[in-house]
Amino acid sequence: MVKTIFVINPNSTQAVTDAFDEALNALRLPGGPKIECLTLAEGPPGIQSQMDVEQVTLPLVNLVKGLDAKHGAGAGAYVLACFSDPGLHAVREATTKPVLGISECGALTALTRGHRVGVIAILRQSIPRHGRMFGAMGLTERVVAEVPLGMNVVDLVDAERTRAGLLRAGKALRDEHLIDVVVLGCAGMAAHRAWLEEQLGVPVVEPTQAATAMAIGRTLLGW
Amino acid sequence: MVKTIFVINPNSTQAVTDAFDEALNALRLPGGPKIECLTLAEGPPGIQSQMDVEQVTLPLVNLVKGLDAKHGAGAGAYVLACFSDPGLHAVREATTKPVLGISECGALTALTRGHRVGVIAILRQSIPRHGRMFGAMGLTERVVAEVPLGMNVVDLVDAERTRAGLLRAGKALRDEHLIDVVVLGCAGMAAHRAWLEEQLGVPVVEPTQAATAMAIGRTLLGW
Amino acid sequence: MVKTIFVINPNSTQAVTDAFDEALNALRLPGGPKIECLTLAEGPPGIQSQMDVEQVTLPLVNLVKGLDAKHGAGAGAYVLACFSDPGLHAVREATTKPVLGISECGALTALTRGHRVGVIAILRQSIPRHGRMFGAMGLTERVVAEVPLGMNVVDLVDAERTRAGLLRAGKALRDEHLIDVVVLGCAGMAAHRAWLEEQLGVPVVEPTQAATAMAIGRTLLGW
Amino acid sequence: MVKTIFVINPNSTQAVTDAFDEALNALRLPGGPKIECLTLAEGPPGIQSQMDVEQVTLPLVNLVKGLDAKHGAGAGAYVLACFSDPGLHAVREATTKPVLGISECGALTALTRGHRVGVIAILRQSIPRHGRMFGAMGLTERVVAEVPLGMNVVDLVDAERTRAGLLRAGKALRDEHLIDVVVLGCAGMAAHRAWLEEQLGVPVVEPTQAATAMAIGRTLLGW
Amino acid sequence: MVKTIFVINPNSTQAVTDAFDEALNALRLPGGPKIECLTLAEGPPGIQSQMDVEQVTLPLVNLVKGLDAKHGAGAGAYVLACFSDPGLHAVREATTKPVLGISECGALTALTRGHRVGVIAILRQSIPRHGRMFGAMGLTERVVAEVPLGMNVVDLVDAERTRAGLLRAGKALRDEHLIDVVVLGCAGMAAHRAWLEEQLGVPVVEPTQAATAMAIGRTLLGW
Amino acid sequence: MVKTIFVINPNSTQAVTDAFDEALNALRLPGGPKIECLTLAEGPPGIQSQMDVEQVTLPLVNLVKGLDAKHGAGAGAYVLACFSDPGLHAVREATTKPVLGISECGALTALTRGHRVGVIAILRQSIPRHGRMFGAMGLTERVVAEVPLGMNVVDLVDAERTRAGLLRAGKALRDEHLIDVVVLGCAGMAAHRAWLEEQLGVPVVEPTQAATAMAIGRTLLGW
């Protein structure tokens, strides 16, 4: 049976979903798990505060429970595609399938591509929230710097402005903080990974790709 | 104006609220902030899973918003009286008043009473959840051991069984893990602090008292 | 019986004592613990070196022992009001009452007001000493930056120069180190907390207030 | 073009290679990357000392260089299937393809399946070597315990004895160290993952599967 | 000019001084620095509390200042031979010569002889004090366990009882905590290093030897 | 019997060996251990990549084994004089004599000369490699910054350019990162320690001196 990996955008901005959906094409295989991207209808346009995180948590749990009930063994794994990993541990309690957060998997994957990890956040106010997450993950020694774009999630549709910001933040991470691997700290930056990596000359990790990549393996293994 | 500190039990077990309400009498002063204990009607009987945490988060935010709207400057501070600190950071976004979690304040207070901190959890399954919290707080170096009672929140009304469990867990922390300060890892153990401290000969921190104690000062300072 | 919290300035600069004495007015309640501020006569004008720390340690122990003997149960708690927490652990051995250091309590309180904690030191040479303390407390993950004023304790009476320095240091912490909560790293800055918080738009913790606030609760609880 | 993931056993014990080769069947897809398992002819029967690690490092580099030269773009990724991650960082310098170590990926995957990670080592003497690795990875806060089997790599062919040892070590990790996820600390235990997970009632991570799972995604992404 | 390293026993128990004086014979060279062992007359019989630490701090500073004044360039370095490193940082401010603590140097030397470091303390009450020191040194990740003898400093003259205790504590560190290097946590155990190392089959570090060994080099280098 | 400490330069640049050989003169005593400096013929001109590290590892092991066989008890200790500590743990397995790495001993010695440790690397690409080492040592809390010279090992013969670079890097460490002790991150900078210390007004640790200093003591102690 072909299983499906559900990649869920907890915010309601379809352009974000569309962008990572396209970025995930590389992970779609004829005989492999299907990858289906969903947008959480109840979500705010962007997850930019702790309250935004909390407001999508139960809807995410319910969505996953519903998908699990509907698809049974056909549901292979769930990816929560927001860099705040909203509801990650609650969703894990709600299903026996693998559940992966993009913040978590973005950081873990970065650990295999460099030593000093830097993160590009959308907003400065995201940094303490991310700090709590990386602390909970026990990764504080390795995630050594975070620099904000100063852009809202919905503004990321402006590719030109986004790229200018990414380049500025990436250079600050590379040149001032001496990081040697960058993680994009929002699901809405998926279209720019390769471009930024080329510009910076430093590995760049796109977290929704990183998490979905891990989900494929976990789906196949069944654990 | 006399301000009120609202100490909110996120679970619906009134016996838990009653027990810490009584334990907070020592903190009630003629001219000081009022201390009012509330039980979250929507809460489950005990917060014992991440899902329990999530389910009370928005109700807690709404409760605090409502209290804030009703009492205005008369609301001095909020204490979330569950050792999982549910909704702590979301509630902080919802009000300008001080918001304190009992897990957080229990641990911080313990840091001033000993060096190696041990926690008595209700259930083994609480330990990873607490681990994520202490990691987020950056206190992993100091909170060195956690031992479970193996009792549900509602079972804590059985004082005899609870004391037997607390003594067993406390001795394990003291004698095997060499801790020199114990934190009670649930709001429902408030009646037993002094007894356990005497039995163990080691300082014991009751976290709802610890958090409310800090809330008094913060209320008076107004920051 | 009304208990007294003794807040002891280990340096001999009365202007420092006077400034935090006034800052503690907010914590004085009709029915609450009395708060009495003392200046250690034997202290140097400022605690600015490890030797300064050591020289006041035994005098502090003796002062506390004397107060304990004189006031008995009327002595509720002791606050050591110097950011080097001189003699903290020795004084704890000398009395059964709660003993709190302002460095310790300033940092612990900051943990509840933000994630990335920054400290404003008086002198650059204070930073390694503080680093040893924060290391001993196990808070290195959270206290992420420290910036010096470059002013001696006694020079802090020059309010204008002090404010200029605090603003410069606070902006460096906020804008270069991306901290989201500031701790004033000297008891002699107490008059400027509210002003600096307003200027920076970031929470600012005054450590003598923070410690005395915690001492009130501990005095009432009796543990 | 179908790419191949080369999973290299740095020791010369073919039974180890055979066992993980079979365990990797779940990861073989019709349209996915091929997974080819190799045994390093020059390797010792087991990597059980730092010297064993060093002796296979250059042969591994040369093997990878040779495969890279021979297969070009057809070589998708390399997995070093020994829990000491021998030569990991040197091999990364030798190719532009993803290179993953099983110790690294076993630990990283465990971080997504539980909070307190425990490792089952083959020999007690492996534990300091693993400790250096986990320290270099910055994962010391999360990898909280390691228990040895006390068996040589070549002895792992004795399935009955191995399972008895795994069960004993796993129970020690679960019951004494309160871990909630186990990592098998040797590539030669691959046949026993599911069995041990069922016996312990705790997630068990097989590191060669974990690393190859990650390699599939990285191969497809091309970064 | 032949320089002298002054190794100062901060407690007044001459038997402790005599024992490490003899243990330092191996470090005495015809053309090398002289090693002179002193007993602090003002010291208590053993440094067993924080108060004991504080009471010897200024006498140590004064002793070193006096030696410095008397010997000038002939004073090569100072070793503070108590495992609480009393006055270490104050003495460093009082002289430009190298000043080494035995706790510090014992731990640092242990880092070069094994990975997981265990310490044998004299008393259980020493462990929090040592914990604060290792925290200040930033060595908490490596110093993973400490086990007490339960003996006062003066009781260490009873060699038979001391050896029985050392063996019991050493075996607990080796077999329960899986440490691979032991540090003797008191200057009064110097006579038993070789014996314990042979008994345990694990490297044992004698801290006064470790510190004096480092002092020789530093004296010769002049920095 | 006079024992010999062998200080081995793993790179083949004789000028590097010559420079530290001269710097070690201060450690040569009439009756003390002989200090003999060797250049590894098989080494590359500089150890600048992980591959360089690996390529010298087995030659170093073989060299030490040969020296051990030839000199027997006359071989007192081995110092690996490259800041990447190549082969450190393998060489330790190959001999019962003390083996010390200069990165390790440079960092450990720095811990006794200041609190915030900064390192001057030769190349930016060295920083992740060093980061892995300091992580493995568990010293990440104390080694807080590293700044590269941007010079190859062989270019260090240009004293003027080297000093200009050291001064720039040292000032960055001192003024931007607020370090209070500097470690020279390459064996090839030995001639400049005193000069840089004077220029910066901050202690500077030369790691080959630091390691050889520790080796003298260990040789004399015989453990």
Side-chain angles (χ1 to χ4, degrees):
Chain A
M1 180 175 55
V2 173
K3 296 186 178 182
T4 301
I5 296 168
F6 294 97
V7 184
I8 304 169
N9 177 11
N11 72 47
S12 59
T13 301
Q14 186 62 33
V16 168
T17 316
D18 291 346
F20 69 64
D21 197 350
E22 186 174 332
L24 297 178
N25 278 339
L27 293 169
R28 291 180 165 108
L29 286 174
K34 285 181 57 184
I35 297 171
E36 188 172 327
C37 296
L38 304 174
T39 304
L40 185 73
E42 301 94 322
I47 309 283
Q48 302 184 167
S49 66
Q50 189 64 37
M51 187 57 111
D52 291 338
V53 169
E54 307 298 0
Q55 280 176 328
V56 301
T57 293
L58 292 187
L60 283 169
V61 171
N62 291 331
L63 177 58
V64 167
K65 277 186 175 171
L67 291 165
D68 235 35
K70 180 174 171 190
H71 296 276
Y78 298 94
V79 172
L80 305 180
C82 164
F83 205 75
S84 296
D85 285 355
L88 179 61
H89 297 285
V91 175
R92 279 185 179 150
E93 287 178 359
T95 173
T96 59
K97 314 292 170 54
V99 180
L100 297 166
I102 68 167
S103 167
E104 175 184 63
C105 294
L108 298 181
T109 297
L111 298 192
T112 72
R113 299 194 77 201
H115 190 77
R116 294 173 61 85
V117 179
V119 175
I120 303 180
I122 45 167
L123 296 167
R124 185 180 161 144
Q125 72 195 51
S126 308
I127 294 177
R129 191 167 67 251
H130 294 171
R132 293 194 296 268
M133 286 196 309
F134 293 129
M137 293 182 207
L139 299 184
T140 306
E141 267 190 39
R142 296 288 300 279
V143 182
V144 295
E146 187 152 1
V147 168
L149 281 190
M151 292 176 69
N152 290 309
V153 170
V154 295
D155 295 335
L156 298 175
V157 296
D158 180 341
E160 196 175 345
R161 190 177 147 213
T162 301
R163 288 199 167 184
L166 288 171
L167 194 55
R168 181 191 49 74
K171 284 183 176 174
L173 288 169
R174 182 191 68 188
D175 299 339
E176 293 164 34
H177 298 283
L178 299 184
I179 65 85
D180 53 2
V181 57
V182 170
V183 180
L184 299 177
C186 176
M189 305 168 179
H192 311 297
R193 194 205 69 79
W195 175 85
L196 186 63
E197 184 166 298
E198 192 182 321
Q199 294 292 314
L200 293 177
V202 160
V204 176
V205 170
E206 200 291 309
T208 307
Q209 289 182 319
T212 308
M214 288 182 75
I216 290 173
R218 297 285 293 278
T219 295
L220 296 174
L221 291 169
W223 54 263
Chain B
M1 179 177 52
V2 173
K3 295 186 178 181
T4 301
I5 296 168
F6 294 97
V7 184
I8 304 169
N9 177 10
N11 72 48
S12 58
T13 301
Q14 186 63 32
V16 168
T17 315
D18 292 345
F20 69 63
D21 197 350
E22 186 175 333
L24 297 178
N25 279 339
L27 294 168
R28 291 180 165 108
L29 286 175
K34 283 180 58 184
I35 297 171
E36 187 172 329
C37 296
L38 305 174
T39 304
L40 185 74
E42 302 93 325
I47 309 284
Q48 302 184 163
S49 66
Q50 188 65 36
M51 186 57 110
D52 291 338
V53 169
E54 308 298 0
Q55 280 177 328
V56 300
T57 294
L58 292 188
L60 283 169
V61 171
N62 291 332
L63 177 57
V64 167
K65 278 185 173 171
L67 291 165
D68 236 35
K70 180 173 170 191
H71 297 275
Y78 298 94
V79 172
L80 306 179
C82 164
F83 205 75
S84 295
D85 285 357
L88 179 61
H89 298 285
V91 175
R92 281 186 176 149
E93 288 179 357
T95 174
T96 58
K97 315 293 170 55
V99 180
L100 296 166
I102 68 166
S103 168
E104 176 184 63
C105 294
L108 299 180
T109 298
L111 297 192
T112 72
R113 298 193 79 201
H115 190 78
R116 294 174 61 84
V117 180
V119 175
I120 302 181
I122 46 166
L123 296 168
R124 186 179 161 145
Q125 73 195 50
S126 309
I127 294 177
R129 189 168 69 250
H130 295 171
R132 295 194 295 268
M133 286 196 310
F134 294 127
M137 293 181 206
L139 299 184
T140 305
E141 267 191 40
R142 295 290 300 279
V143 182
V144 294
E146 186 152 2
V147 168
L149 281 190
M151 291 174 70
N152 290 310
V153 170
V154 293
D155 296 335
L156 298 175
V157 296
D158 180 342
E160 196 176 344
R161 192 178 145 211
T162 300
R163 289 197 167 185
L166 288 170
L167 193 55
R168 182 191 49 74
K171 284 183 176 174
L173 288 169
R174 182 191 67 188
D175 299 337
E176 293 165 33
H177 297 284
L178 298 183
I179 64 84
D180 53 1
V181 58
V182 170
V183 180
L184 299 177
C186 176
M189 304 167 179
H192 310 298
R193 193 204 69 78
W195 175 85
L196 187 62
E197 185 166 297
E198 192 182 320
Q199 293 292 314
L200 292 177
V202 160
V204 175
V205 171
E206 201 290 310
T208 308
Q209 290 182 319
T212 308
M214 289 181 75
I216 290 173
R218 298 284 293 277
T219 295
L220 296 173
L221 291 168
W223 52 263
Chain C
M1 179 177 52
V2 174
K3 296 185 177 181
T4 302
I5 295 167
F6 294 97
V7 183
I8 305 168
N9 177 10
N11 72 47
S12 58
T13 302
Q14 186 63 34
V16 168
T17 316
D18 292 345
F20 68 65
D21 196 350
E22 184 175 333
L24 296 178
N25 278 339
L27 293 169
R28 290 180 165 108
L29 285 175
K34 286 181 56 184
I35 297 171
E36 188 172 328
C37 296
L38 306 173
T39 304
L40 185 73
E42 302 94 322
I47 309 283
Q48 302 184 166
S49 67
Q50 188 65 37
M51 187 57 109
D52 291 336
V53 169
E54 308 298 359
Q55 281 176 328
V56 300
T57 294
L58 292 187
L60 283 169
V61 170
N62 291 333
L63 177 57
V64 167
K65 277 185 173 170
L67 291 166
D68 235 34
K70 180 174 172 191
H71 296 276
Y78 299 94
V79 171
L80 306 179
C82 164
F83 205 74
S84 296
D85 285 355
L88 179 60
H89 297 285
V91 175
R92 280 186 178 149
E93 288 179 358
T95 173
T96 58
K97 314 292 170 54
V99 180
L100 297 166
I102 68 167
S103 167
E104 175 184 63
C105 294
L108 299 181
T109 298
L111 298 192
T112 71
R113 298 193 78 200
H115 190 76
R116 294 173 62 84
V117 180
V119 175
I120 302 180
I122 45 167
L123 296 168
R124 185 179 161 145
Q125 74 196 51
S126 309
I127 294 178
R129 191 169 65 251
H130 295 171
R132 294 194 295 268
M133 286 197 308
F134 294 128
M137 294 182 207
L139 299 185
T140 306
E141 268 190 39
R142 295 290 298 281
V143 182
V144 294
E146 188 152 359
V147 168
L149 281 191
M151 291 175 70
N152 289 312
V153 170
V154 294
D155 296 335
L156 297 175
V157 296
D158 180 341
E160 196 176 346
R161 190 177 148 214
T162 301
R163 288 198 167 185
L166 288 171
L167 193 56
R168 181 191 48 73
K171 284 183 176 174
L173 288 170
R174 182 190 68 188
D175 299 338
E176 291 165 35
H177 297 284
L178 300 184
I179 64 85
D180 52 3
V181 57
V182 170
V183 180
L184 299 177
C186 176
M189 305 167 178
H192 311 297
R193 194 206 68 79
W195 175 84
L196 187 63
E197 185 166 296
E198 192 182 320
Q199 294 292 314
L200 292 177
V202 159
V204 175
V205 171
E206 200 292 309
T208 307
Q209 290 182 319
T212 308
M214 289 182 75
I216 291 174
R218 296 285 292 278
T219 295
L220 296 173
L221 291 169
W223 53 262
Chain D
M1 178 176 54
V2 173
K3 295 187 178 181
T4 301
I5 295 167
F6 294 97
V7 184
I8 305 169
N9 177 10
N11 72 49
S12 59
T13 301
Q14 187 63 33
V16 168
T17 316
D18 292 346
F20 69 63
D21 197 350
E22 186 174 333
L24 297 178
N25 278 338
L27 294 168
R28 291 181 164 106
L29 285 175
K34 283 181 58 183
I35 298 171
E36 188 172 327
C37 297
L38 305 174
T39 305
L40 185 74
E42 300 94 324
I47 309 284
Q48 302 183 164
S49 66
Q50 188 65 36
M51 187 57 109
D52 291 337
V53 169
E54 309 297 1
Q55 281 177 327
V56 301
T57 294
L58 291 187
L60 283 169
V61 170
N62 291 333
L63 178 57
V64 166
K65 278 185 174 170
L67 291 165
D68 235 35
K70 181 173 170 191
H71 297 276
Y78 299 93
V79 172
L80 306 180
C82 165
F83 205 75
S84 296
D85 286 356
L88 179 61
H89 297 286
V91 175
R92 280 186 177 150
E93 288 179 358
T95 174
T96 59
K97 314 294 171 55
V99 180
L100 296 166
I102 68 166
S103 168
E104 175 184 65
C105 294
L108 299 181
T109 298
L111 298 193
T112 72
R113 298 193 77 200
H115 189 77
R116 293 174 63 85
V117 179
V119 174
I120 302 179
I122 45 166
L123 296 168
R124 185 179 161 144
Q125 72 195 51
S126 309
I127 294 177
R129 191 167 68 251
H130 294 172
R132 294 193 296 267
M133 287 196 308
F134 293 128
M137 293 182 206
L139 299 184
T140 306
E141 268 191 39
R142 294 290 301 279
V143 182
V144 294
E146 187 151 2
V147 168
L149 280 190
M151 292 175 70
N152 289 310
V153 170
V154 293
D155 296 336
L156 297 175
V157 296
D158 180 341
E160 196 175 345
R161 191 178 146 212
T162 301
R163 289 199 167 183
L166 289 170
L167 193 55
R168 182 190 49 73
K171 285 183 175 172
L173 288 169
R174 183 192 66 188
D175 299 338
E176 293 165 32
H177 298 283
L178 299 184
I179 64 86
D180 53 1
V181 58
V182 170
V183 180
L184 299 177
C186 175
M189 305 167 179
H192 311 297
R193 194 205 68 80
W195 175 86
L196 186 63
E197 184 166 298
E198 192 181 321
Q199 294 291 314
L200 292 178
V202 160
V204 176
V205 171
E206 202 291 309
T208 308
Q209 289 182 318
T212 309
M214 288 182 75
I216 290 173
R218 298 284 292 277
T219 296
L220 295 173
L221 291 169
W223 55 263
Chain E
M1 181 177 51
V2 173
K3 297 187 177 181
T4 301
I5 296 168
F6 294 98
V7 183
I8 304 168
N9 178 10
N11 73 48
S12 59
T13 302
Q14 186 63 33
V16 168
T17 315
D18 291 346
F20 68 64
D21 196 351
E22 186 174 334
L24 297 178
N25 279 338
L27 294 169
R28 291 180 165 107
L29 285 175
K34 284 182 56 184
I35 298 170
E36 188 173 328
C37 297
L38 305 173
T39 305
L40 185 73
E42 301 94 323
I47 308 284
Q48 303 183 165
S49 66
Q50 188 64 37
M51 186 58 109
D52 290 337
V53 170
E54 308 298 0
Q55 280 177 327
V56 301
T57 294
L58 293 187
L60 283 169
V61 171
N62 291 332
L63 178 57
V64 167
K65 279 185 171 170
L67 291 165
D68 237 34
K70 180 174 172 191
H71 296 276
Y78 299 95
V79 172
L80 305 180
C82 165
F83 205 76
S84 296
D85 285 356
L88 179 60
H89 298 285
V91 176
R92 281 188 176 147
E93 288 179 358
T95 173
T96 58
K97 314 293 171 54
V99 180
L100 296 166
I102 68 167
S103 167
E104 175 185 63
C105 294
L108 298 181
T109 298
L111 298 192
T112 72
R113 299 193 79 200
H115 190 77
R116 293 173 63 83
V117 179
V119 175
I120 302 180
I122 45 165
L123 296 168
R124 185 178 163 146
Q125 73 195 51
S126 309
I127 294 177
R129 190 168 67 251
H130 294 172
R132 294 193 296 268
M133 287 196 309
F134 294 128
M137 293 182 206
L139 298 184
T140 306
E141 267 191 40
R142 294 290 299 281
V143 182
V144 294
E146 187 152 2
V147 168
L149 281 190
M151 291 175 70
N152 290 310
V153 169
V154 293
D155 295 335
L156 298 175
V157 296
D158 180 341
E160 195 175 345
R161 191 177 147 213
T162 301
R163 288 199 167 184
L166 288 170
L167 193 57
R168 182 190 49 74
K171 284 183 175 173
L173 287 170
R174 182 191 66 189
D175 299 337
E176 293 164 34
H177 297 283
L178 300 184
I179 64 85
D180 53 2
V181 58
V182 170
V183 180
L184 299 177
C186 176
M189 305 168 179
H192 311 298
R193 194 205 67 79
W195 175 86
L196 186 64
E197 183 165 298
E198 192 182 320
Q199 294 292 314
L200 293 178
V202 160
V204 176
V205 171
E206 201 290 309
T208 308
Q209 290 182 319
T212 309
M214 289 181 75
I216 291 174
R218 297 284 292 278
T219 295
L220 296 173
L221 291 169
W223 55 262
Chain F
M1 180 175 54
V2 173
K3 296 187 178 182
T4 302
I5 295 167
F6 294 97
V7 184
I8 305 168
N9 177 10
N11 72 47
S12 58
T13 301
Q14 187 62 34
V16 168
T17 315
D18 291 345
F20 68 65
D21 197 350
E22 186 174 333
L24 297 178
N25 278 339
L27 294 168
R28 291 180 164 107
L29 287 175
K34 286 182 55 185
I35 297 170
E36 187 173 328
C37 296
L38 306 173
T39 305
L40 185 74
E42 302 93 323
I47 310 283
Q48 302 183 165
S49 66
Q50 188 65 37
M51 187 57 111
D52 291 336
V53 170
E54 307 298 0
Q55 280 176 329
V56 300
T57 294
L58 292 187
L60 283 169
V61 170
N62 291 332
L63 177 57
V64 167
K65 277 185 174 171
L67 291 166
D68 235 34
K70 181 173 170 191
H71 297 275
Y78 298 94
V79 172
L80 306 180
C82 164
F83 205 74
S84 296
D85 285 354
L88 178 61
H89 297 285
V91 176
R92 281 187 176 148
E93 288 178 358
T95 173
T96 59
K97 314 292 171 54
V99 180
L100 296 165
I102 67 166
S103 166
E104 176 184 62
C105 294
L108 298 180
T109 298
L111 299 192
T112 73
R113 298 193 78 201
H115 190 77
R116 294 173 61 85
V117 179
V119 175
I120 302 180
I122 45 167
L123 296 168
R124 185 180 162 142
Q125 73 196 50
S126 309
I127 294 178
R129 190 168 68 251
H130 294 171
R132 293 193 297 268
M133 287 196 309
F134 294 128
M137 294 182 207
L139 299 184
T140 306
E141 268 190 40
R142 295 289 299 281
V143 183
V144 294
E146 187 152 1
V147 168
L149 281 190
M151 291 176 70
N152 290 310
V153 170
V154 294
D155 295 335
L156 298 175
V157 296
D158 179 342
E160 196 176 345
R161 190 177 147 213
T162 301
R163 288 199 166 184
L166 288 170
L167 194 55
R168 181 191 48 74
K171 285 182 175 174
L173 288 169
R174 183 191 66 188
D175 300 338
E176 293 165 34
H177 297 283
L178 300 183
I179 64 86
D180 52 3
V181 58
V182 169
V183 180
L184 299 177
C186 176
M189 305 167 178
H192 311 297
R193 193 204 69 80
W195 175 86
L196 186 64
E197 185 167 296
E198 192 183 320
Q199 294 292 315
L200 293 178
V202 160
V204 175
V205 171
E206 199 291 309
T208 307
Q209 290 182 320
T212 308
M214 288 181 76
I216 290 173
R218 297 284 293 277
T219 295
L220 296 173
L221 291 168
W223 52 262

